[in-house]
Structures are given as structure tokens and as C-alpha cells.
Amino acid sequence: MRLNVPITDAAEIAAVTAVLESGFLTQGPRAAEFENLVGSWVGTSRAYAVSSATTGLHLALHAVGVKPGDEVIIPDFSFPATANAVIQQGAIPVFVDIDIDTFNLDPSRLEAAITSRTTAIMPVHAFGLCADMDPINEIAARHSLPVIEDAACALAGTYKGRQAGSLATAGVFSFHPRKIITTGEGGMIMTDDEELGNKIQVLRTHGAVRGELFMSFIDAGYNYRLSDVHAAIGVAQMAKLAGITEGRHERADSLTERLAGLDGVRTPVVPEGTRHAYQSYVVLLDDDIDRDAVIRAMKSRDIETTLGTYGMHLQPYFRDRFGIEDAALPVSTRAHNQALTLPLYPQLTDSDLDLIAEKLAESIVAVRS
């Protein structure tokens, strides 16, 4: 059983075929349509399709004014693309510990991380669960700092009635095949800030502004556009988003019921006022359970599982460059070692969910024995 299976069918094939037959393959009308659809769903006035969430984060950091040598605060527990985007801008990632219940940045640790060199805060919505944005935004406002949501996993997640991606200065989604919807590769930047949006528009396309006859280059920009081939897939996927979202919630609730009472396993915690997108279904194993041995045991039972995500300070590049001790980030260290991602996608049947719960219980007993 695979960890995730995207939902694609004849609609995506027809959409791509139509683009290929049109001859307009680079960013064009399908990308604009995709931007409008995602913008309408999220509720922001501006949306900019980009080649990936990583390039979107980099572009957003550049657009809000992060410069080489500046500091950007991020949670330590995240896919390394979060920190890579900061480093690509020549800035320094400042790793902050997380809340073990939500796997998100702990707002109570945020203010202590702010220095005179801090120029942005970039919380991550871990696995599709929105970070606690009200205190984050409040602290950021007191220090006049922009906030960029790394919402890569969180399309269709909500916080106090608002969609992920609309909760801060800017938000960035991913459309990788493991995300809620997919374009193969791709991402999108969301914002209501007109000035910021204009900067993103220019920087996304080589720093160019199109005139009557040709382009004028007013900045040193990037080629971070999304092709119409990819965007056409996204348009077809947006028609399925509501169904995909409901399917994920139903399977997540059913899996939680099946895992209730399983010794050594804590199922996902969803704070009041939030709606989890369930890009991933991540449990936390007790400290006496060897998580990696459980992954191997599940693999031997033909069920794909993996770690939650990465304590970035534990990865060789960040460890060697920044020299952060585990003791400085104990919660992220624990999550890195004990979080386990189980299969979750709408195509799972009740029998599949029964099997996941049964084999997880078997694997834990085998590992503990």
C-alpha cells in the first residue's frame, strides 16, 4: 500500500492534450485560469503561479525585502526546502522549536528569537494543519515584520474560518504529487498586498515589464513561471478539490477511530477553530518505540510509511553550518525521531484502513518484543 496516490483521470489528460494542441506551452491563459481558481478558493485578491513552492518561498522572501545577512525565523521541524529558500536569498535561517501537539512553530518561543537582524517570520503549516497564526501575527506586527506562510501542505486547511494562504503577508502552496492537489511540480504565492504582488509579478519573469512592443527589464529577476501544461492539470484538479478534501477528512476520522486506544500511538491533534487539510496523517509514537524499526516492519507488511518530516538541525548541512545542539531544540528532535506518517488518501477503502491499523499494532508489538 502506497503512502499517497494522486487522483488523476481523463480530465487531466484532456486538459494537457488541449494545451499541447494549442501550441501555447509556456505560462499563459491556463496559468491565469489556475491562479483565478485558487485565488477564489483562498480568498486573496492576488495569486501567482510558480514552478514550485520552494521557488515561491524564495520569491516571496525577495519581494518582502529579505537581503543577504538578514535573519528569517522558521520552525526547525519542516522539510528542508523551508530553510533552503532562506539560504538561497543569502539570509540566515533561525530555527525555533515546535509545539509537540501540532508539530507547528511554538508562538511562545518566537519573540525570544527576534533580533535586530530579523526581517521576516515564516511559519509552516505542518502536514496541512495551520500554525497558530494570531499570536504569530501579533508578535510580527509589534516588530514590523512580514509573515510568509509556508502553506505547502495546507491548501483547504482553515484557521478560525479563514483559508490557509490568506492568513499573513503572503502564503505559498505546493502542488507536488504528495500534496492536496497536484500539477506534477508547481506552486502558488497568495497575497492581498498590491505592492508586494507587483514585485512578485516582475521578479517571477526575469525582472521584466512588458511594453507595447517588447519587454523592459527593471530588476534582476528569476524564471520561476509555471507552464500552461502544468497549470492545465491544476485547473482540472481544482474541480476535484472539494471532493478530495472531504475524502481526506473522512479517511482521517476513520483511521483515528481505528487507532484509538492503541498503546504507544498518539493520533493527530486538531486545535479548536482549525480544520486540518490532512496532506499527511502523522502520529507520534511513544519514546520507547523505535520509529525506524516500525517503518521497516510496516514495509515488510507491504505498507509504505515514513518519518513525519525533518528536524532540520539534525541534517548534515544545517548541523555542520550552524552547529545547533539537540538540547536547543528538544521538541523538534523528539518529533524527528518519533513522528510517523501513515498512508492517507481518498481512494483508501474501509478494508485498507483496517489493514493499516492492524499492521501498525502488529509492528509495534514486534518492535517492542
Side-chain angles (χ1 to χ4, degrees), residues 25-36:
L25 305 187
T26 188
Q27 186 168 298
R30 293 290 74 76
E33 182 181 3
F34 187 35
E35 289 169 339
N36 288 335

Side-chain angles (χ1 to χ4, degrees), residues 3-296:
L3 197 64
N4 183 65
V5 178
I7 297 178
T8 56
D9 52 33
E12 285 78 10
I13 295 171
V16 170
T17 300
V19 170
L20 295 175
E21 290 175 345
S22 76
F24 201 119
L25 305 187
T26 188
Q27 186 168 298
R30 293 290 74 76
E33 182 181 3
F34 187 35
E35 289 169 339
N36 288 335
L37 289 170
V38 178
S40 294
W41 177 281
V42 173
T44 57
S45 59
R46 289 169 174 257
Y48 301 92
V50 288
S51 54
S52 70
T54 307
T55 59
L57 292 173
H58 182 208
L59 191 54
L61 289 167
H62 186 149
V64 300
V66 173
K67 302 180 297 301
D70 288 346
E71 293 178 350
V72 177
I73 295 173
I74 61 174
D76 181 66
F77 190 58
S78 181
F79 193 76
T82 307
N84 289 344
V86 176
I87 291 167
Q88 288 159 6
Q89 189 56 19
I92 301 165
V94 176
F95 302 103
V96 173
D97 217 342
I98 61 166
D99 178 338
I100 196 62
D101 286 341
T102 64
F103 299 121
N104 281 320
L105 186 150
D106 184 345
S108 71
R109 302 174 187 265
L110 178 56
E111 193 131 27
I114 296 173
T115 73
S116 60
R117 297 170 66 186
T118 306
T119 52
I121 301 170
M122 194 156 67
V124 176
H125 301 326
F127 313 122
L129 179 68
C130 289
D132 193 359
M133 293 302 296
D134 280 356
I136 292 171
N137 284 330
E138 180 185 347
I139 293 167
R142 286 206 306 269
H143 293 270
S144 300
L145 296 171
V147 177
I148 299 168
E149 300 168 65
D150 183 341
C153 300
L155 182 65
T158 66
Y159 176 83
K160 298 185 178 180
R162 297 175 61 197
Q163 292 285 336
S166 70
L167 305 172
T169 311
V172 181
F173 294 120
S174 171
F175 304 121
H176 180 275
R178 273 199 63 195
K179 301 305 188 287
I180 305 300
I181 64 168
T182 187
T183 58
E185 289 284 0
M188 195 169 293
I189 308 171
M190 321 301 296
T191 187
D192 282 320
D193 187 317
E194 181 178 359
E195 181 179 357
L196 180 62
N198 290 338
K199 289 180 182 177
I200 291 168
Q201 176 82 2
V202 169
L203 290 168
R204 177 179 62 171
T205 311
H206 304 286
V209 174
R210 183 168 292 280
E212 179 190 359
L213 300 178
F214 42 77
M215 294 185 293
S216 177
F217 295 87
I218 64 173
D219 206 336
Y222 312 96
N223 181 7
Y224 282 173
R225 296 169 296 178
L226 185 72
S227 77
D228 261 22
V229 177
H230 292 89
I233 299 171
V235 170
Q237 288 274 289
M238 282 300 294
K240 302 171 181 174
L241 178 55
I244 290 171
T245 300
E246 289 308 311
R248 285 185 172 273
H249 277 98
E250 290 171 3
R251 302 312 183 276
D253 290 345
S254 295
L255 189 52
T256 295
E257 290 175 5
R258 286 164 169 80
L259 297 178
L262 178 57
D263 184 44
V265 176
R266 193 211 71 189
T267 54
V269 175
V270 183
E272 186 177 355
T274 60
R275 181 172 168 83
H276 205 313
Y278 285 113
Q279 178 268 334
S280 291
Y281 186 94
V282 181
V283 300
L284 185 70
L285 303 182
D286 282 358
D287 292 342
D288 67 333
I289 300 173
D290 184 335
R291 191 273 317 279
D292 293 357
V294 171
I295 293 173
R296 295 185 188 99

